[in-house]
Amino acid sequence: MKSKYTLLILLIAATSCAFAQYSGGAGSGYSKAEANGKHLTNFFQTDGNWSTTGNWRDSQLPASTEEANVAAHATLDNNYSYPAVNILSGASLTVAGSTNLTVTETLTNSAGSPGLVIESGGSLIHNTNDVQATIKRAVTGAPIPAEPGVSTKYHLVSIPLATSVNSLSSQFTGAYLYEYAPSTNSWTALGEQTNTPLSETLGYMVYYTSNQTITFAGPINNGSFSPSLTYAGLGGDNNFSLVPNPYPSAIDWHAFAPADKTNVGNTIWIFNNGNYATYTWDGENSSSTNGGSRYIAVGQAFFVQTTGSSPALNMSNAVRTHTTSPFLKNTSTLDKQLRMSAQANGLNDEALITFRQDASDEYLSSEDALKFYGSSGAPQLYSLAGSQKLSVNNMHQPKGTTEVPLAFECDLAGDYSLSFSQLETFPESVSLYLTDYLSETTHNLRENAVYQFSHQPGNAAGRFSITFGGSIGVEENLLPGTKILSENDRITIMLPTSEQTAVKVYNTTGQLVHQTAFTGNQHSISMAQPGIYLVQVSSGKNIFTGKVHTGR
């Protein structure tokens, strides 16, 4: 995208209950007899961990089909699911980090927001409106650097509370707080006032000078939620909105149905250690850079692209999920995908070029990801589709040589390096060359996947290109009748002829782990480690590649 996102620092007691007599069976030790419309089940009655059976009245945990009543101070120390959970007045339930709780029917909290605490990294999925809770999110901070604009400790944050809270800027006391302005595609500092109104339907950016845990207390969201989206009508497809994850659980970008998105692209962006991570999902294909993930964590905000008037992104409990993975997690490797990485000043940026039969060479918001600029001092790497700067560039598979412009920018002079991975996803018949027009150098990536160079801020950004030589088309059809099968630890290759054949086997990191040559119609290979392998079979001028999974 044309507008830079250069992030600059701006100084500025239990109630009495009746019990039903236990009538047999495993679990809580209490039957589901009803009194006043409530199931009577087991009670947590001694402060401590949820999994400690001695803390429960019946000396057993409730079964997953029974209610759980909390009459003391409980800490969830594992993952649990119940139809109902009741927190009594004066009691509390803490969902610890890396644990999750699912309440499929009714969650009752009679102890107010201190009675239900979701620690940073914890997760709750529930189905009851206006439950009071306290949600915590840990964020890293850093002292203000001597060079303005080189800090990486910015965070995109959401306020995971109901819109009735009407939050104020005091929610982020001690932070440098910023609001995104879609009309100008820029950040606005909100100053030092603590009574500035905030919106739970928007995301914000914060910078702390030391590690902090942000605490949100009030009614938590359940069910339908509509974040505020804006289409500013700016040129160059530069229209974005910063939206929140409004729930006390992660949300899954894959779970948004096409009907949930109106004039919204398929990519999300989130700031991560100096640059933006991207994740693109079109319902069938996914791609990512800088570790982008389909999962958006509790208290996290993320950018979406708005592509037309009246954009909307409809959220519901259907998009909520428990995941103990961090927000950033790479996607799986696809065929014919080149990942490029620029390293400089202790920071990193990635760009991705992928060839697919159904992709377009022109920029499309449904399959490509525009480049977002990160902090000053961080390297910025992107390919070009016409005038569009792309972090993810999906292209149609050509039948001949293809050259793709590659650009590099950085505000600081120095020695830098470009590294390339996933070369093994291309057939060996495809040559891969990097051209540096500034130094008039051509570099064979098949021989060395790292290129080092010197850079000055005044250098032209588009100093590089990647040349894909030979046919990038579907090589699998060039050797018809070939089969690559796997059973347990063995890979078996079956050929329609008995000519001399060369075989190379690569693991998912691109390492060559086995190679051999044989003559005949069939050959088997025993793999020491189970996993996914790319097998390339060459016979004369014919090539066949395929993926197998051993050890299943």
Side-chain angles (χ1 to χ4, degrees), residues 525-540:
I525 304 167
S526 179
M527 304 304 297
Q529 298 292 332
I532 299 174
Y533 294 96
L534 180 72
V535 182
Q536 185 180 84
V537 180
S538 304
S539 180

Side-chain angles (χ1 to χ4, degrees), residues 231-482:
Y231 177 70
L234 302 177
D237 297 294
N238 290 320
N239 298 281
F240 303 93
S241 287
L242 183 59
V243 298
N245 171 4
Y247 300 110
S249 70
I251 57 179
D252 183 358
W253 190 237
H254 283 203
F256 286 85
D260 294 331
K261 295 185 286 186
T262 301
N263 292 331
V264 172
N266 288 331
T267 299
I268 57 176
W269 291 261
I270 184 169
F271 191 72
N272 173 43
N273 194 33
N275 266 311
Y276 279 85
T278 71
Y279 187 85
T280 305
W281 169 248
D282 64 6
E284 181 178 355
N285 302 291
S286 65
S287 57
S288 69
T289 61
N290 295 323
S293 168
R294 62 191 280 187
Y295 301 113
I296 303 161
V298 179
Q300 183 73 70
F302 57 103
F303 278 101
V304 297
Q305 183 180 14
T306 56
T307 59
S309 59
S310 302
L313 184 65
N314 299 319
M315 300 183 182
S316 68
N317 285 352
V319 305
R320 296 171 66 180
T321 185
H322 292 309
T323 174
T324 55
S325 301
F327 172 83
L328 301 171
K329 182 180 179 181
N330 285 333
T331 54
S332 59
T333 301
L334 301 175
D335 285 339
K336 303 175 184 67
Q337 175 174 284
L338 183 64
R339 188 174 297 274
M340 301 157 286
S341 177
Q343 296 85 34
N345 309 313
L347 302 174
N348 182 77
D349 195 20
E350 282 189 343
L352 190 68
I353 298 174
T354 299
F355 293 93
R356 296 204 323 256
Q357 214 35 47
D358 60 343
S360 170
D361 287 345
E362 297 182 358
Y363 165 72
L364 293 176
S365 63
S366 59
E367 62 186 32
D368 302 314
L370 288 172
K371 167 64 181 172
F372 271 38
Y373 282 76
S375 293
S376 296
Q380 307 300 324
L381 187 66
Y382 53 89
S383 66
L384 291 167
S387 62
Q388 291 290 13
K389 302 176 181 181
L390 302 180
S391 289
V392 176
N393 188 357
N394 283 282
M395 302 179 65
H396 184 74
Q397 291 186 156
K399 293 183 179 179
T401 299
T402 297
E403 185 175 7
V404 181
L406 181 67
F408 173 87
E409 298 180 42
C410 190
D411 295 334
L412 302 179
D415 294 326
Y416 297 85
S417 66
L418 298 177
S419 59
F420 300 81
S421 60
Q422 300 173 358
L423 283 72
E424 77 284 353
T425 65
F426 292 88
E428 272 198 350
S429 61
V430 175
S431 59
L432 297 165
Y433 288 94
L434 171 72
T435 299
D436 184 343
Y437 295 104
L438 183 62
S439 64
E440 298 181 344
T441 302
T442 299
H443 182 78
N444 188 340
L445 297 176
R446 292 287 193 186
E447 296 179 355
N448 187 349
V450 177
Y451 177 72
Q452 296 178 332
F453 62 100
S454 296
H455 169 76
Q456 296 290 333
N459 292 155
R463 64 181 286 181
F464 298 109
S465 72
I466 304 291
T467 301
F468 300 84
S471 175
I472 306 177
V474 184
E475 262 34 59
E476 288 83 346
N477 294 329
L478 297 181
L479 192 55
T482 301

Side-chain angles (χ1 to χ4, degrees), residues 6 8 40 58 66 81 99 114 201 208 277 318 321 353 413 456 552:
T6 303
L8 299 177
L40 300 176
D58 193 49
E66 297 175 312
S81 177
T99 69
T201 66
Y208 286 94
T321 185
I353 298 174
Q456 296 290 333
R552 294 189 300 178

